Amino acid sequence: MTSAHAVTGAQAVSVVTADQRRFDAEVVGIDRRTDVALLRIAASNLPVVAVGQSGELCPGEWVAAMGAPFGFERSVTAGVVSANPRYMPGGNGVPLIQTDVALNPGNSGGPLFDERGNVVGMNSMIYSASGGYFGVSFSLPIDTAMRVADELRATGRVTRGHIGARTQPLTADLAPAFGLDAGLGALVVRVDADSPAETAGLRSGDVVLAVGAAAAAMPYAEIQERVASATQGSRLALRIWRHRAPLTVQVGVIQSAPDMPPKLVARADAHEVRFGLELTERKGVLGISLQDPGLYVQGVSGSAQRAGLRYGDALIAVNDVRVAGLADFDAAIRAIPESDTVALLVMRGANRSYVAIPPRVSKRAALTPSVRPSP
């Protein structure tokens, strides 16, 4: 299980275990509303984590996140729970765990652990004006993530009831402005055009106090759950508070369009030319020193793009063979079996590192003769 935004738009997805085994992954399904994606790999006897109860987390409790911020694998950061649950204003009603745990790009989809080592959340997003950590981060409660994963495992998609109204929790601070005493209910902030909510006459500033025959005002989460669990074509009775007076509105329910998993391509292609790299000899590139010959990346796709190469990189070596030109590069590639991993020494700015290109064909396929002898 990982974040949906981590695999959306991906050409290929792989899972690497702590002992550096790599598995091609199939995306079983995604749900953008909760930002959950479920992956399947062909592996067995993998270690598993213990799942805790996210609903039992209280502000002030210590938690720790694990991930790969900026590519630094298996990094751990710690902090405390700031609020649970936290709903984003004007959001989609998904509960979140707010913490001050440092999360950065590369943490998405990683686990959030409680003090007992149980997973209580999945790292999802940060609140920042710069794109970096600003002291406020959010994780999806593991209770919610597991419910979504179970539905994705069963059907490959998540379906929900939908009425076309965007809401936020009515807090104790906001309640007096609408003539209410308690911070219960859902405050409507937007009504979608041509939606059942618009047809029913809902408007911004309405407060949904309850769904169905409930006499008492409901918590925000329960209202969201009642709407989401309603079936398409059914009608809900919403108890509304408008202009300091109660009324009941009948609203139809439609089904939210389920998210479809991305279509993945093979991780490597035996017919790729130079792994999808468009290369120029560095001696012909303006501003590049001739003292360090190599190849300059002008375009990238396919296996090289999936491995992380990008425009402007310089190639210095293939495995342990230095390459000064295109002829050297092609000769080095021809000398490596298609069933072997290729390591490219890449220079990006002043930094150098090796990047792995996966085998162009599997070892099993490489050992299978293309023409069978006659009996």
PDB file of all heavy atoms in Angstrom, residues 17 19-20 34 40 48 53 55 70 73 86 97 107 110 160 183 193 198 221 285 308 316 325 331 342 370:
ATOM      1  N   THR A  17      12.780  -4.217  -1.568  1.00  0.00           N
ATOM      2  CA  THR A  17      12.758  -4.623  -0.170  1.00  0.00           C
ATOM      3  C   THR A  17      14.042  -4.192   0.530  1.00  0.00           C
ATOM      4  O   THR A  17      15.004  -3.746  -0.102  1.00  0.00           O
ATOM      5  CB  THR A  17      12.584  -6.141  -0.047  1.00  0.00           C
ATOM      6  OG1 THR A  17      13.675  -6.788  -0.731  1.00  0.00           O
ATOM      7  CG2 THR A  17      11.269  -6.581  -0.687  1.00  0.00           C
ATOM      8  N   ASP A  19      16.346  -5.925   1.740  1.00  0.00           N
ATOM      9  CA  ASP A  19      17.516  -6.683   1.302  1.00  0.00           C
ATOM     10  C   ASP A  19      17.811  -6.472  -0.178  1.00  0.00           C
ATOM     11  O   ASP A  19      18.499  -7.271  -0.807  1.00  0.00           O
ATOM     12  CB  ASP A  19      17.341  -8.171   1.606  1.00  0.00           C
ATOM     13  CG  ASP A  19      16.080  -8.753   0.957  1.00  0.00           C
ATOM     14  OD1 ASP A  19      15.371  -7.998   0.267  1.00  0.00           O
ATOM     15  OD2 ASP A  19      15.809  -9.948   1.148  1.00  0.00           O
ATOM     16  N   GLN A  20      17.253  -5.355  -0.731  1.00  0.00           N
ATOM     17  CA  GLN A  20      17.557  -4.892  -2.091  1.00  0.00           C
ATOM     18  C   GLN A  20      17.015  -5.786  -3.199  1.00  0.00           C
ATOM     19  O   GLN A  20      17.477  -5.735  -4.330  1.00  0.00           O
ATOM     20  CB  GLN A  20      19.078  -4.713  -2.282  1.00  0.00           C
ATOM     21  CG  GLN A  20      19.675  -3.638  -1.393  1.00  0.00           C
ATOM     22  CD  GLN A  20      19.021  -2.281  -1.613  1.00  0.00           C
ATOM     23  OE1 GLN A  20      18.997  -1.777  -2.730  1.00  0.00           O
ATOM     24  NE2 GLN A  20      18.490  -1.690  -0.551  1.00  0.00           N
ATOM     25  N   THR A  34      -8.801   9.512  -0.866  1.00  0.00           N
ATOM     26  CA  THR A  34      -8.021   9.223   0.340  1.00  0.00           C
ATOM     27  C   THR A  34      -6.533   9.140   0.047  1.00  0.00           C
ATOM     28  O   THR A  34      -5.728   9.019   0.975  1.00  0.00           O
ATOM     29  CB  THR A  34      -8.469   7.899   0.965  1.00  0.00           C
ATOM     30  OG1 THR A  34      -8.387   6.854  -0.033  1.00  0.00           O
ATOM     31  CG2 THR A  34      -9.904   7.993   1.466  1.00  0.00           C
ATOM     32  N   ARG A  40       0.400  -4.955  -6.090  1.00  0.00           N
ATOM     33  CA  ARG A  40       0.567  -6.412  -5.965  1.00  0.00           C
ATOM     34  C   ARG A  40       1.921  -6.790  -6.558  1.00  0.00           C
ATOM     35  O   ARG A  40       2.282  -6.347  -7.648  1.00  0.00           O
ATOM     36  CB  ARG A  40      -0.541  -7.143  -6.706  1.00  0.00           C
ATOM     37  CG  ARG A  40      -0.412  -8.670  -6.618  1.00  0.00           C
ATOM     38  CD  ARG A  40      -1.419  -9.392  -7.501  1.00  0.00           C
ATOM     39  NE  ARG A  40      -2.774  -9.273  -6.962  1.00  0.00           N
ATOM     40  CZ  ARG A  40      -3.781  -8.677  -7.595  1.00  0.00           C
ATOM     41  NH1 ARG A  40      -3.582  -8.128  -8.788  1.00  0.00           N
ATOM     42  NH2 ARG A  40      -4.970  -8.610  -7.053  1.00  0.00           N
ATOM     43  N   VAL A  48       5.965  -8.465   7.772  1.00  0.00           N
ATOM     44  CA  VAL A  48       4.834  -7.545   7.818  1.00  0.00           C
ATOM     45  C   VAL A  48       4.897  -6.731   9.098  1.00  0.00           C
ATOM     46  O   VAL A  48       5.512  -7.142  10.092  1.00  0.00           O
ATOM     47  CB  VAL A  48       3.480  -8.282   7.727  1.00  0.00           C
ATOM     48  CG1 VAL A  48       3.352  -8.996   6.402  1.00  0.00           C
ATOM     49  CG2 VAL A  48       3.331  -9.271   8.879  1.00  0.00           C
ATOM     50  N   GLN A  53      -4.404   1.008  16.081  1.00  0.00           N
ATOM     51  CA  GLN A  53      -5.716   1.664  16.033  1.00  0.00           C
ATOM     52  C   GLN A  53      -5.493   3.174  15.976  1.00  0.00           C
ATOM     53  O   GLN A  53      -5.155   3.792  16.987  1.00  0.00           O
ATOM     54  CB  GLN A  53      -6.541   1.292  17.266  1.00  0.00           C
ATOM     55  CG  GLN A  53      -6.841  -0.191  17.395  1.00  0.00           C
ATOM     56  CD  GLN A  53      -7.781  -0.686  16.315  1.00  0.00           C
ATOM     57  OE1 GLN A  53      -8.672   0.036  15.871  1.00  0.00           O
ATOM     58  NE2 GLN A  53      -7.578  -1.917  15.871  1.00  0.00           N
ATOM     59  N   GLY A  55      -7.616   5.501  15.688  1.00  0.00           N
ATOM     60  CA  GLY A  55      -8.616   6.255  16.425  1.00  0.00           C
ATOM     61  C   GLY A  55      -8.256   6.462  17.883  1.00  0.00           C
ATOM     62  O   GLY A  55      -8.829   7.325  18.564  1.00  0.00           O
ATOM     63  N   PHE A  70      13.832  12.844  -0.153  1.00  0.00           N
ATOM     64  CA  PHE A  70      14.867  13.227  -1.115  1.00  0.00           C
ATOM     65  C   PHE A  70      15.726  12.033  -1.521  1.00  0.00           C
ATOM     66  O   PHE A  70      16.896  12.184  -1.885  1.00  0.00           O
ATOM     67  CB  PHE A  70      15.750  14.349  -0.547  1.00  0.00           C
ATOM     68  CG  PHE A  70      14.982  15.567  -0.121  1.00  0.00           C
ATOM     69  CD1 PHE A  70      14.851  15.891   1.218  1.00  0.00           C
ATOM     70  CD2 PHE A  70      14.361  16.374  -1.068  1.00  0.00           C
ATOM     71  CE1 PHE A  70      14.132  17.007   1.609  1.00  0.00           C
ATOM     72  CE2 PHE A  70      13.641  17.496  -0.683  1.00  0.00           C
ATOM     73  CZ  PHE A  70      13.531  17.806   0.655  1.00  0.00           C
ATOM     74  N   GLU A  73      16.905   6.520   1.667  1.00  0.00           N
ATOM     75  CA  GLU A  73      16.030   5.398   2.011  1.00  0.00           C
ATOM     76  C   GLU A  73      16.059   5.071   3.495  1.00  0.00           C
ATOM     77  O   GLU A  73      17.063   5.259   4.179  1.00  0.00           O
ATOM     78  CB  GLU A  73      16.433   4.168   1.196  1.00  0.00           C
ATOM     79  CG  GLU A  73      16.264   4.344  -0.309  1.00  0.00           C
ATOM     80  CD  GLU A  73      16.691   3.117  -1.070  1.00  0.00           C
ATOM     81  OE1 GLU A  73      17.204   2.175  -0.439  1.00  0.00           O
ATOM     82  OE2 GLU A  73      16.505   3.088  -2.299  1.00  0.00           O
ATOM     83  N   ARG A  86      -8.080  15.531  11.996  1.00  0.00           N
ATOM     84  CA  ARG A  86      -8.059  16.885  11.462  1.00  0.00           C
ATOM     85  C   ARG A  86      -8.684  16.855  10.078  1.00  0.00           C
ATOM     86  O   ARG A  86      -8.316  16.027   9.252  1.00  0.00           O
ATOM     87  CB  ARG A  86      -6.634  17.411  11.360  1.00  0.00           C
ATOM     88  CG  ARG A  86      -6.510  18.765  10.665  1.00  0.00           C
ATOM     89  CD  ARG A  86      -7.045  19.874  11.533  1.00  0.00           C
ATOM     90  NE  ARG A  86      -6.121  20.192  12.616  1.00  0.00           N
ATOM     91  CZ  ARG A  86      -6.429  20.968  13.629  1.00  0.00           C
ATOM     92  NH1 ARG A  86      -7.657  21.470  13.724  1.00  0.00           N
ATOM     93  NH2 ARG A  86      -5.548  21.210  14.580  1.00  0.00           N
ATOM     94  N   ILE A  97      -4.453  12.621  10.362  1.00  0.00           N
ATOM     95  CA  ILE A  97      -3.716  12.776  11.610  1.00  0.00           C
ATOM     96  C   ILE A  97      -2.715  13.908  11.403  1.00  0.00           C
ATOM     97  O   ILE A  97      -1.825  13.803  10.548  1.00  0.00           O
ATOM     98  CB  ILE A  97      -2.969  11.481  11.990  1.00  0.00           C
ATOM     99  CG1 ILE A  97      -3.937  10.308  12.091  1.00  0.00           C
ATOM    100  CG2 ILE A  97      -2.215  11.661  13.305  1.00  0.00           C
ATOM    101  CD1 ILE A  97      -3.227   8.956  12.195  1.00  0.00           C
ATOM    102  N   ASN A 107       8.615  10.917   1.329  1.00  0.00           N
ATOM    103  CA  ASN A 107       7.972  10.289   2.479  1.00  0.00           C
ATOM    104  C   ASN A 107       6.586   9.751   2.161  1.00  0.00           C
ATOM    105  O   ASN A 107       6.042   8.947   2.925  1.00  0.00           O
ATOM    106  CB  ASN A 107       7.839  11.278   3.637  1.00  0.00           C
ATOM    107  CG  ASN A 107       9.086  11.353   4.499  1.00  0.00           C
ATOM    108  OD1 ASN A 107       9.775  12.361   4.527  1.00  0.00           O
ATOM    109  ND2 ASN A 107       9.384  10.273   5.198  1.00  0.00           N
ATOM    110  N   GLY A 110       4.740   6.209   3.104  1.00  0.00           N
ATOM    111  CA  GLY A 110       5.445   5.504   4.157  1.00  0.00           C
ATOM    112  C   GLY A 110       4.597   5.379   5.417  1.00  0.00           C
ATOM    113  O   GLY A 110       3.603   6.084   5.586  1.00  0.00           O
ATOM    114  N   ARG A 160     -18.490   5.497  -4.018  1.00  0.00           N
ATOM    115  CA  ARG A 160     -19.080   6.251  -2.914  1.00  0.00           C
ATOM    116  C   ARG A 160     -20.307   6.998  -3.390  1.00  0.00           C
ATOM    117  O   ARG A 160     -20.405   7.383  -4.566  1.00  0.00           O
ATOM    118  CB  ARG A 160     -18.090   7.285  -2.361  1.00  0.00           C
ATOM    119  CG  ARG A 160     -16.844   6.731  -1.729  1.00  0.00           C
ATOM    120  CD  ARG A 160     -16.020   7.863  -1.160  1.00  0.00           C
ATOM    121  NE  ARG A 160     -14.797   7.366  -0.534  1.00  0.00           N
ATOM    122  CZ  ARG A 160     -13.671   7.184  -1.196  1.00  0.00           C
ATOM    123  NH1 ARG A 160     -13.605   7.467  -2.485  1.00  0.00           N
ATOM    124  NH2 ARG A 160     -12.606   6.723  -0.560  1.00  0.00           N
ATOM    125  N   GLY A 183     -20.580  22.672  18.312  1.00  0.00           N
ATOM    126  CA  GLY A 183     -19.785  22.506  17.095  1.00  0.00           C
ATOM    127  C   GLY A 183     -19.999  21.150  16.480  1.00  0.00           C
ATOM    128  O   GLY A 183     -19.071  20.331  16.410  1.00  0.00           O
ATOM    129  N   ALA A 193     -22.230  22.841  -9.585  1.00  0.00           N
ATOM    130  CA  ALA A 193     -23.272  23.107 -10.575  1.00  0.00           C
ATOM    131  C   ALA A 193     -23.844  21.800 -11.115  1.00  0.00           C
ATOM    132  O   ALA A 193     -23.123  20.810 -11.293  1.00  0.00           O
ATOM    133  CB  ALA A 193     -22.702  23.948 -11.719  1.00  0.00           C
ATOM    134  N   GLU A 198     -27.452  20.975  -5.714  1.00  0.00           N
ATOM    135  CA  GLU A 198     -27.999  22.198  -6.306  1.00  0.00           C
ATOM    136  C   GLU A 198     -29.479  22.020  -6.625  1.00  0.00           C
ATOM    137  O   GLU A 198     -30.305  22.918  -6.377  1.00  0.00           O
ATOM    138  CB  GLU A 198     -27.232  22.563  -7.568  1.00  0.00           C
ATOM    139  CG  GLU A 198     -27.690  23.881  -8.188  1.00  0.00           C
ATOM    140  CD  GLU A 198     -26.974  24.180  -9.497  1.00  0.00           C
ATOM    141  OE1 GLU A 198     -27.080  23.338 -10.426  1.00  0.00           O
ATOM    142  OE2 GLU A 198     -26.336  25.236  -9.596  1.00  0.00           O
ATOM    143  N   ALA A 221     -17.776  13.596  10.882  1.00  0.00           N
ATOM    144  CA  ALA A 221     -17.336  12.333  10.273  1.00  0.00           C
ATOM    145  C   ALA A 221     -18.513  11.411   9.997  1.00  0.00           C
ATOM    146  O   ALA A 221     -18.549  10.715   8.969  1.00  0.00           O
ATOM    147  CB  ALA A 221     -16.313  11.641  11.164  1.00  0.00           C
ATOM    148  N   VAL A 285      29.411  20.156 -27.159  1.00  0.00           N
ATOM    149  CA  VAL A 285      28.432  20.908 -26.405  1.00  0.00           C
ATOM    150  C   VAL A 285      29.065  22.170 -25.849  1.00  0.00           C
ATOM    151  O   VAL A 285      30.091  22.133 -25.178  1.00  0.00           O
ATOM    152  CB  VAL A 285      27.855  20.066 -25.243  1.00  0.00           C
ATOM    153  CG1 VAL A 285      26.848  20.867 -24.432  1.00  0.00           C
ATOM    154  CG2 VAL A 285      27.208  18.806 -25.805  1.00  0.00           C
ATOM    155  N   GLY A 308      15.660   7.511 -13.549  1.00  0.00           N
ATOM    156  CA  GLY A 308      15.900   8.817 -12.952  1.00  0.00           C
ATOM    157  C   GLY A 308      16.812   9.731 -13.726  1.00  0.00           C
ATOM    158  O   GLY A 308      17.101  10.843 -13.265  1.00  0.00           O
ATOM    159  N   ILE A 316      29.551   9.127 -17.870  1.00  0.00           N
ATOM    160  CA  ILE A 316      31.002   8.998 -17.794  1.00  0.00           C
ATOM    161  C   ILE A 316      31.455   7.573 -18.085  1.00  0.00           C
ATOM    162  O   ILE A 316      32.493   7.352 -18.686  1.00  0.00           O
ATOM    163  CB  ILE A 316      31.510   9.428 -16.401  1.00  0.00           C
ATOM    164  CG1 ILE A 316      31.000  10.826 -16.059  1.00  0.00           C
ATOM    165  CG2 ILE A 316      33.026   9.390 -16.341  1.00  0.00           C
ATOM    166  CD1 ILE A 316      31.433  11.889 -17.047  1.00  0.00           C
ATOM    167  N   GLY A 325      32.750   8.682 -26.139  1.00  0.00           N
ATOM    168  CA  GLY A 325      31.938   9.022 -27.289  1.00  0.00           C
ATOM    169  C   GLY A 325      30.851   7.991 -27.513  1.00  0.00           C
ATOM    170  O   GLY A 325      30.746   6.981 -26.791  1.00  0.00           O
ATOM    171  N   ALA A 331      29.599   0.225 -27.917  1.00  0.00           N
ATOM    172  CA  ALA A 331      30.417  -0.976 -27.770  1.00  0.00           C
ATOM    173  C   ALA A 331      30.295  -1.556 -26.366  1.00  0.00           C
ATOM    174  O   ALA A 331      30.226  -2.774 -26.187  1.00  0.00           O
ATOM    175  CB  ALA A 331      31.888  -0.644 -28.089  1.00  0.00           C
ATOM    176  N   VAL A 342      22.627  -3.037 -16.107  1.00  0.00           N
ATOM    177  CA  VAL A 342      23.668  -2.123 -16.571  1.00  0.00           C
ATOM    178  C   VAL A 342      23.768  -0.968 -15.586  1.00  0.00           C
ATOM    179  O   VAL A 342      22.757  -0.392 -15.180  1.00  0.00           O
ATOM    180  CB  VAL A 342      23.341  -1.589 -17.984  1.00  0.00           C
ATOM    181  CG1 VAL A 342      24.384  -0.563 -18.424  1.00  0.00           C
ATOM    182  CG2 VAL A 342      23.272  -2.740 -18.977  1.00  0.00           C
ATOM    183  N   SER A 370      15.086 -19.359 -29.198  1.00  0.00           N
ATOM    184  CA  SER A 370      14.011 -18.790 -30.014  1.00  0.00           C
ATOM    185  C   SER A 370      13.524 -19.805 -31.051  1.00  0.00           C
ATOM    186  O   SER A 370      12.392 -19.711 -31.520  1.00  0.00           O
ATOM    187  CB  SER A 370      14.523 -17.528 -30.718  1.00  0.00           C
ATOM    188  OG  SER A 370      15.680 -17.835 -31.485  1.00  0.00           O
TER     189      SER A 370
END
